[in-house]
Amino acid sequence: MQPGLRELIGPSALQTRILELAQAINEDYAGKDPLLVCVLNGAFMFTADLIRHLRIRTRIDFLSVSSYGAQTESSGVVAIRRDLTQSVAGEDVLVLEDIVDTGRTLEYLRRHLEAARPKSLRVCALLDKPSRREVQCDADYVGFSIANEFVVGYGLDFNQRYRELPAIYVLEQTES
Ligand code: IMP
Ligand code: MG
């Protein structure tokens, strides 16, 4: 069995939607100076494309969480592997995530960041799999809602592979 890739969201659909997300963020944060938090590794490409369309003052920081082993199922155990270098106290924090699946990572992240007393805290996720939710935790901005399929590309991986692909693909098991 070899994994096959089926394109789900192409490069131009991605960029069109990301521009719309950036425009919504520009409006909602007009006159503010939010601290953007890119959740590594999956959100690096999304973050890089989104921030190019921002027209507000902003700063960016990175953190890294682990929730997956080498499977396509979440272990449910979330840990911070690399924390922020800037303080979030009193900041308008906007988290940039690749995908919300069970919601466990986001719930953990929200609790972790809320404990540092930001002025506000919102989440922008490129992808959302609402049918997979195990804890009630949603993003404030969502690029695309998708079905219960494992996706790769555009920053998202399977066993650290496929992150470089310019589109979102469903990972399928195919006979070979
Ligand atoms: P959750 O804690 O189950 O919501 O999982 C969130 C994290 O799992 C995301 O930030 C991704 O890193 C990873 N993840 C969830 N679904 C997928 C997928 O379909 N493809 C690749 N990574 C995924
Ligand atoms: Mg992630």
Side-chain angles (χ1 to χ4, degrees), residues 5-162:
L5 300 178
R6 169 169 56 83
E7 188 178 289
L8 184 66
I9 308 168
S12 71
L14 276 173
Q15 296 307 320
T16 301
R17 185 66 187 129
I18 288 167
L19 176 58
E20 290 173 358
L21 289 173
Q23 286 167 340
I25 291 165
N26 282 332
E27 279 182 28
D28 294 352
Y29 288 87
K32 298 186 176 168
D33 182 9
L35 177 64
L36 304 184
V37 172
C38 169
V39 183
L40 296 172
N41 297 332
F44 77 94
M45 212 180 273
F46 172 46
T47 298
D49 283 345
L50 180 91
I51 61 175
R52 272 176 256 214
H53 298 298
L54 294 182
R55 299 291 177 263
I56 48 175
R57 274 162 60 81
T58 188
R59 287 144 300 148
I60 181 149
D61 205 347
F62 301 84
L63 61 68
S64 165
V65 291
S66 60
S67 57
Y68 272 69
Q71 281 91 36
T72 56
E73 287 294 315
S74 174
S75 64
V77 180
V78 187
I80 301 274
R81 268 194 299 199
R82 175 203 193 277
D83 210 342
L84 298 173
T85 59
Q86 300 172 46
S87 167
V88 306
E91 300 285 352
D92 290 308
V93 174
L94 179 59
V95 174
L96 303 176
E97 218 343 355
D98 53 357
I99 186 166
V100 185
D101 187 32
T102 64
R104 291 191 187 280
T105 303
L106 202 53
E107 189 198 40
Y108 176 90
L109 264 182
R110 276 194 194 269
R111 255 191 287 119
H112 176 76
L113 292 170
E114 286 287 4
R117 305 230 166 262
K119 184 173 173 196
S120 69
L121 177 61
R122 285 190 193 159
V123 176
C124 176
L126 177 64
L127 303 173
D128 186 18
K129 285 197 256 186
S131 67
R132 292 262 305 164
R133 210 66 99 249
E134 291 172 12
V135 294
Q136 204 39 61
C137 193
D138 293 327
D140 304 277
Y141 305 87
V142 172
F144 300 88
S145 274
I146 64 172
N148 178 15
E149 295 178 300
F150 196 83
V151 290
V152 297
Y154 198 72
L156 291 99
D157 76 305
F158 174 64
N159 285 353
Q160 302 302 328
R161 302 285 176 190
Y162 309 115

